[in-house]
Amino acid sequence: PEVDEPAAARKREKALRDRNTSLCCRSKTFDRIVALIDNADRSKAEAAKMAQDARNGHGHKGGAAGRHQQQASRGGRYEWTGDVQGNVEAAYWREALGEEAKDLEGIQTYGQTANVSSAAVVDLAPPSKRARSSQPHASSSMRYQQQANVKKVVRRPIIFVPAGYPQGSLLNMLNIKTFLEDGKFVDWANLVDSATEKKERVIVKRSYRKAKPVEYEIRDKVPQFADAGQRAEFWERIVAVCVSGAGWQFKDWPWKDERKESVDFLTTFAKVRGFQVRWRDDPPDERTRPWDVERLFMEKNSRHGDTSVMHRFWDVLDTHLKKRLANKNPTSSVILAL
């Protein structure tokens, strides 16, 4: 029979992936990459602040004295930085090249150029006897100082669950406590009538793989914050989220894709471990297919496997936290009570 080549080709076609799905890999995370980007942004901010502080502290003075002071504050006559100042480098090249060293005036050997005028070079110690600076790099010094000055506070880690009575998740504020503490699953639909009041948060005491119980805070809504510091501290405490599959669950979360004006799920699930707990015989949830979340399945007619699902939840979360703590910002004020 004649083969329909276009139809056969269409069967072999693979759906195009978007920004989130193309980078999604369940066995890998982008924790280190996100940390590198965050550190680069902080270093730029620190450098800009130091430059501003230098300008505010030294001011501007006219004449040769003012120029010499500005040159010294920038790391030498040629604006070199590090443990070798510009005048030492100039002396070296003058000694090595003689009159030809004039061709190097205004040029930095580190690959940068500086707008400087010719001036007499101060004779200093030869290159072999250069004194190494005992001062750390400016950005490192500031980072260490910030770390020393930050007051550390110990806080409970937070786990988010879907708000209300979600159709895409088997866990919410009504049944999360007994499941994570004892490995006993009770369908939240059976607890709605007996629920007396809506709780803003629930405290779970984890005993699995712990010498003594560790408390986790369970929430389903983002609270109101008094200031930016309180907001930053809150999001540093978020370690896991149980998803329902609805994107609006993350509408108040901070990580956004500005180009699409929507939630950046790639960054969100790199920082916070995602879980979706569903019945084993339910069809796949197409809404969460691109998301890097751990899918946990429960048996509808058997409760014997509930404890093993609970164990899987904590084991996956522990693996995520090890990677997250390895890349933790040293200037963070929050210490998670793990």
Side-chain angles (χ1 to χ4, degrees):
E2 185 177 354
V3 178
D4 188 351
E5 291 294 342
R10 283 194 292 271
K11 289 183 179 180
R12 294 193 298 269
E13 286 181 349
K14 294 183 179 180
L16 292 176
R17 294 181 176 270
D18 58 18
R19 174 177 177 271
N20 287 301
T21 58
S22 62
L23 297 178
C24 185
C25 182
R26 297 184 63 183
S27 61
K28 301 289 183 180
T29 70
F30 285 80
D31 293 343
R32 292 186 179 274
I33 297 176
V34 172
L36 286 173
I37 296 174
D38 291 343
N39 289 336
D41 292 340
R42 283 194 297 272
S43 297
K44 290 180 181 179
E46 290 168 3
K49 185 177 184 302
M50 289 185 62
Q52 183 63 39
D53 291 344
R55 288 193 293 269
N56 294 339
H58 293 90
H60 175 73
K61 296 181 181 181
R67 288 195 300 273
H68 293 161
Q69 183 174 354
Q70 293 174 7
Q71 291 166 1
S73 67
R74 292 193 298 262
R77 176 167 161 249
Y78 294 105
E79 298 184 11
W80 283 315
T81 60
D83 57 355
V84 180
Q85 299 298 321
N87 47 10
V88 177
E89 281 296 320
Y92 168 77
W93 288 115
R94 187 178 183 186
E95 178 183 350
L97 302 179
E99 292 297 325
E100 295 181 1
K102 293 182 180 180
D103 297 335
L104 296 179
E105 288 190 1
I107 299 177
Q108 296 180 10
T109 56
Y110 291 94
Q112 299 175 331
T113 59
N115 295 324
V116 297
S117 58
S118 299
V121 179
V122 179
D123 291 330
L124 297 175
S128 60
K129 297 183 180 181
R130 294 171 182 170
R132 300 188 65 84
S133 172
S134 61
Q135 298 296 326
H137 192 273
S139 61
S140 299
S141 176
M142 176 173 288
R143 186 176 296 110
Y144 297 146
Q145 184 177 3
Q146 288 178 345
Q147 183 176 359
N149 294 336
V150 171
K151 182 180 179 181
K152 302 292 184 179
V153 293
V154 179
R155 295 287 187 264
R156 293 191 194 99
I158 298 175
I159 298 174
F160 258 87
V161 296
Y165 310 126
Q167 298 301 317
S169 175
L170 298 179
L171 297 177
N172 66 0
M173 294 288 281
L174 297 178
N175 61 358
I176 187 70
K177 183 177 176 68
T178 56
F179 176 71
L180 292 183
E181 285 185 348
D182 307 320
K184 296 179 179 179
F185 174 78
V186 180
D187 195 338
W188 55 257
N190 299 328
L191 302 174
V192 173
D193 294 336
S194 61
T196 56
E197 59 179 351
K198 177 69 169 64
K199 295 182 179 180
E200 180 181 348
R201 59 184 176 179
V202 173
I203 303 302
V204 167
K205 295 183 179 180
R206 172 189 175 180
S207 299
Y208 174 66
R209 293 189 184 276
K210 297 295 181 181
K212 59 181 181 179
V214 175
E215 292 186 348
Y216 285 74
E217 187 174 309
I218 311 298
R219 287 180 174 267
D220 64 351
K221 291 183 180 179
V222 179
Q224 297 294 323
F225 303 107
D227 52 49
Q230 189 182 74
R231 180 185 296 105
E233 178 184 303
F234 178 83
W235 290 111
E236 284 194 58
R237 295 171 57 195
I238 309 300
V239 296
V241 55
C242 295
V243 304
S244 65
W248 57 261
Q249 181 182 357
F250 300 92
K251 63 183 180 66
D252 296 324
W253 286 48
W255 302 290
K256 307 293 184 182
D257 186 342
E258 300 297 339
R259 294 174 299 177
K260 296 183 179 180
E261 298 182 353
S262 61
V263 179
D264 186 348
F265 290 108
L266 180 65
T267 301
T268 297
F269 293 124
K271 293 179 176 290
V272 180
R273 194 64 178 103
F275 296 88
Q276 186 175 33
V277 184
R278 310 180 72 237
W279 297 122
R280 184 174 299 278
D281 55 356
D282 281 352
D285 190 343
E286 296 297 330
R287 299 173 300 174
T288 63
R289 185 183 294 276
W291 299 356
D292 184 16
V293 299
E294 181 73 15
R295 292 165 179 84
L296 304 176
F297 297 101
M298 310 283 287
E299 301 291 344
K300 275 188 177 181
N301 302 316
S302 175
R303 303 275 60 85
H304 296 295
D306 294 351
T307 301
S308 62
V309 176
M310 179 267 283
H311 290 171
R312 177 62 180 170
F313 178 94
W314 290 120
D315 289 340
V316 172
L317 179 56
D318 287 344
T319 301
H320 168 77
L321 288 175
K322 287 179 182 179
K323 296 178 181 179
R324 174 168 161 173
L325 293 176
N327 298 303
K328 184 176 177 60
N329 177 10
T331 62
S332 171
S333 63
V334 177
I335 299 177
L336 295 177
L338 301 172

